[in-house]
Amino acid sequence: MLDISEVSRQSGVAASKLRYYEEIGLIRSIGRSGLRRVFAPDVLSRLSLIALGQAAGFSLAEIGDMLGQEGKPDIDRERLGAKADALDRRIKQLSAIRDGLRHAMTCTAPRHLDCPTFQRLMRIALAKQSARGPGRQGAKGAKAARGARGAREARTQHGRTRLRRDG
């Protein structure tokens, strides 16, 4: 049996994240030792699977589906293949962007906007953005936009500045 601090130390996963994983059903404690959660040693293997799934781009919900509730992973091979295909497409896109950046870095045109290759890259980028639809932002961009709209600086009694939610 491993208490939560030992699981955190061995896995490198913060205790707060371990509690969250337990809350959403990805891992399960087997009891308590005083006030500390206690886990079976196989939780480290489960945490490794979670980390691998996240590194591959799976959401925690998708990972939870593949981990199963009984502690025995049921990994969908078709889902793995689909994710590998998506990664191949993303690698191809990123490689094209990298190559375009390298070209722009060494381009001999007097201005980047005069370079046909750079103009083609701009058209491709715009086409990809418009394919995502109007007003669509990435998760971080949308969160930042909401935060900027709903937060305002406020001074505390100690002179520190903090953000305060409006409305």
Side-chain angles (χ1 to χ4, degrees):
M1 294 192 316
L2 303 168
D3 74 18
I4 193 166
S5 63
E6 185 62 20
V7 173
S8 179
R9 188 186 69 72
Q10 287 188 33
S11 67
V13 177
S16 59
K17 190 178 276 189
L18 293 171
R19 288 188 289 274
Y20 177 68
Y21 285 172
E22 184 178 20
E23 181 182 317
I24 63 173
L26 293 177
I27 61 175
R28 188 180 341 210
S29 63
I30 57 173
R32 293 194 178 261
S33 175
L35 296 176
R36 293 178 180 239
R37 289 171 170 86
V38 177
F39 296 90
D42 68 345
V43 73
L44 296 172
S45 174
R46 200 161 171 93
L47 289 169
S48 295
L49 286 170
I50 293 167
L52 179 61
Q54 287 183 304
F58 288 104
S59 70
L60 290 178
E62 291 171 316
I63 293 167
D65 289 345
M66 287 190 272
L67 287 177
Q69 296 301 318
E70 301 302 315
K72 295 183 172 89
D74 183 21
I75 300 171
D76 182 343
R77 292 173 190 267
E78 285 184 34
R79 188 181 271 183
L80 294 179
K83 183 59 77 172
D85 292 344
L87 286 171
D88 283 339
R89 287 188 298 277
R90 184 70 178 140
I91 288 167
K92 185 176 178 183
Q93 290 172 345
L94 290 172
S95 294
I97 292 168
R98 179 206 57 216
D99 294 345
L101 291 173
R102 288 212 171 111
H103 172 81
M105 179 181 75
T106 61
C107 183
T108 58
R111 295 179 330 128
H112 287 101
L113 294 178
D114 295 336
C115 173
T117 302
F118 192 76
Q119 289 177 2
R120 184 176 55 82
L121 290 170
M122 291 189 321
R123 285 192 304 275
I124 291 169
L126 186 59
K128 286 185 186 306
Q129 184 175 358
S130 64
R132 285 181 271 192
R136 297 262 329 254
Q137 297 171 311
K140 289 181 183 176
K143 187 175 181 180
R146 282 193 305 273
R149 284 193 306 267
R152 153 179 106 213
E153 285 187 5
R155 290 244 173 232
T156 66
Q157 65 187 23
H158 301 291
R160 287 185 234 131
T161 301
R162 64 179 177 85
L163 291 179
R164 183 178 69 204
R165 287 265 168 226
D166 293 337

